[in-house]
Amino acid sequence: MSDIVEELDALRVTGLERIEAARDPEELEAVRVSLLGKKGSLITLLRSVGGLAPEERPAAGRTSNEVRQAIEAGLEARRKALESAELTQRLTAEAVDVTLPGRGRVPGHRHLISQIVDEIVDVFIGLGDQVAEGPEAELDYYNFTALNHPPDHPARSGQDTFYVEDLSGDVAVVAGESDVMLRTHTSPVQVRVMEAQEPPIYVLAPGRVYRRDVADPSHLPQFTQVEGLVVDRGITFGDLKGTLEHFCHVMFGADREVRLRPHFFPFTEPSAEVDVSCIICDGEGCRFCGGVGWLEILGCGMVDPNVFRLLGIDPEEYTGFAFGMGAERIAALKYGLSDIRLLLEGDMRFLRQF
Ligand code: DAH
């Protein structure tokens, strides 16, 4: 056998090996060009056929055709193999398991505290009230003095009140050294409204309030109150009672019992606390109501004539009532929550229920 035939056979073997080794269509194309291209190995070998003896040429020509065919077949087979491997890989990568459960999106909604405030506001807007607001960093005058708190009232102590350095409201200082505090209730809005407008006054003032309490199941250092104030000619305690009974029935259900208990607030006289019959036991007595059958929901009273006089409203001409309630507490009582801290923890499993 001539050298050329041996070389052609060798080219077939190495060529087919290189074809098998190609890992993707680009590599395969490069192999093809280097074997069969115009400057490829096969052409280069065949150029030397011209220099062969005439009797050697037929065998060399036949072999070179066989080698070309073998290489072309090898290329084609490898191309198909690579394509189907690529397809399989893509299919695996893009596979969608249609049997997996879907991933739903949970639409957001208003926080329970905001919902409750809205509900309370709605009831009183329905009775003709307007909504008023006041600052959260408040002056001692509005938070205490004008509300008939004597100078030594315990609520004024730094134990109960966050005092701040100035009206921007961000630096706590020693109690008693500042006239500015984070309001401890929404009642100062009463004073601001009476200062700004003449009776008749029918307002509702929702807002955040702050107290130096450690958070526990029924206390938060920051919570939400809704304040109500009515000042007009001929307003009686009966109006107060009727208004709050109406509110309790809308909020807690028409079958709730409502009672007023005498109490004391510096800025109302007489003052009362309002209870509704326990939503859990209906008044029988249970753990939720501490066995008493009643739940306290707000403080209220007839505006103290001292408050009127200070603000230039004639207590002989006008009377009025006021009330204040905690929205978190109302939420807890309405939904039987045993711990109001849940409202602020941001646990979606809890909040989504409302
Ligand atoms: N401000 C009182 C508090 O935070 C609640 C309150 C009681 C408000 C009687 C009133 C009221 O308007 O008349 O405890």
Side-chain angles (χ1 to χ4, degrees):
M1 208 189 329
S2 71
D3 288 352
I4 180 80
V5 171
E6 264 174 36
E7 281 183 56
L8 281 167
D9 278 335
L11 178 64
R12 180 201 337 239
V13 173
T14 56
L16 289 176
E17 274 170 13
R18 287 178 59 199
I19 288 168
E20 276 315 300
R23 277 162 310 183
D24 55 48
E26 290 76 47
E27 243 180 82
L28 188 62
E29 175 62 8
V31 172
R32 185 189 69 78
V33 170
S34 84
L35 294 173
L36 303 183
K38 279 186 198 143
K39 294 174 185 165
S41 319
L42 188 61
I43 289 283
T44 316
L45 256 181
L46 289 181
R47 293 232 167 84
S48 61
V49 171
L52 289 181
E55 65 274 20
E56 286 178 336
R57 285 186 198 163
R62 225 179 18 249
T63 312
S64 95
N65 276 339
E66 283 167 18
V67 170
R68 173 179 292 279
Q69 278 164 15
I71 287 179
E72 277 172 350
L75 284 168
E76 180 60 13
R78 184 67 187 148
R79 189 181 60 76
K80 286 202 175 125
L82 283 176
E83 266 172 15
S84 91
E86 194 182 76
L87 188 67
T88 320
Q89 197 191 19
R90 214 171 59 220
L91 285 179
T92 337
E94 290 172 5
V96 173
D97 183 351
V98 292
T99 66
L100 282 176
R103 257 178 249 155
R105 284 186 191 220
V106 186
H109 63 79
R110 285 174 74 67
H111 192 280
L112 178 56
I113 299 175
S114 306
Q115 290 181 40
I116 291 283
V117 170
D118 284 356
E119 260 179 74
I120 299 170
V121 169
D122 275 354
V123 176
F124 289 97
I125 283 185
L127 295 175
D129 275 10
Q130 292 195 316
V131 172
E133 283 187 323
E136 290 177 27
E138 186 55 285
L139 291 167
D140 179 277
Y141 172 77
Y142 292 101
N143 197 81
F144 293 131
T145 308
L147 289 166
N148 206 31
H149 285 69
D152 54 356
H153 192 281
R156 288 185 121 126
S157 93
Q159 297 221 305
D160 297 323
T161 304
F162 287 111
Y163 285 89
V164 297
E165 202 157 60
D166 57 44
L167 281 174
S168 70
D170 49 15
V171 191
V173 295
V174 184
E177 282 182 6
S178 173
D179 275 348
V180 188
M181 65 201 61
L182 298 181
R183 66 180 174 193
T184 59
H185 52 179
T186 42
S187 303
V189 185
Q190 288 187 39
V191 180
R192 289 179 174 275
V193 169
M194 286 190 270
E195 207 177 58
Q197 92 188 53
E198 309 256 301
I201 293 169
Y202 291 81
V203 292
L204 198 71
R208 276 194 199 105
V209 303
Y210 302 84
R211 288 186 197 171
R212 285 179 86 145
D213 274 329
V214 174
D216 71 20
S218 54
H219 295 86
L220 293 171
Q222 180 230 287
F223 59 104
T224 316
Q225 281 193 337
V226 183
E227 188 83 13
L229 173 68
V230 167
V231 182
D232 205 344
R233 291 192 177 89
I235 297 294
T236 66
F237 199 88
D239 295 318
L240 168 63
K241 191 163 180 252
T243 303
L244 293 178
E245 270 175 1
H246 169 73
F247 165 74
C248 292
H249 288 148
V250 177
M251 209 61 195
F252 296 102
D255 50 349
R256 286 303 99 203
E257 305 267 351
V258 180
R259 77 173 183 189
L260 275 74
R261 239 179 328 100
H263 200 75
F264 173 80
F265 296 102
F267 43 97
T268 42
E269 181 59 34
S271 304
E273 278 188 336
V274 174
D275 300 335
V276 290
S277 52
C278 177
I279 55 150
I280 305 282
C281 66
D282 247 339
E284 293 289 311
C286 68
R287 234 173 52 186
F288 193 64
C289 58
V292 295
W294 295 96
L295 302 167
E296 179 243 309
I297 62 154
L298 58 82
C300 63
M302 300 304 288
V303 179
D304 194 304
N306 285 341
V307 176
F308 276 153
R309 270 191 289 270
L310 183 77
L311 296 166
I313 295 173
D314 181 0
E316 300 298 325
E317 188 179 353
Y318 290 105
T319 47
F321 66 75
F323 57 86
M325 62 185 100
E328 289 79 0
R329 183 166 170 80
I330 303 276
L333 299 184
K334 184 163 169 147
Y335 292 107
L337 312 178
S338 54
D339 190 334
I340 57 173
R341 289 175 296 188
L342 283 168
L343 290 167
L344 297 189
E345 279 167 3
D347 184 337
M348 292 309 292
R349 292 167 304 180
F350 170 74
L351 292 173
R352 258 185 224 131
Q353 300 173 66
F354 307 101

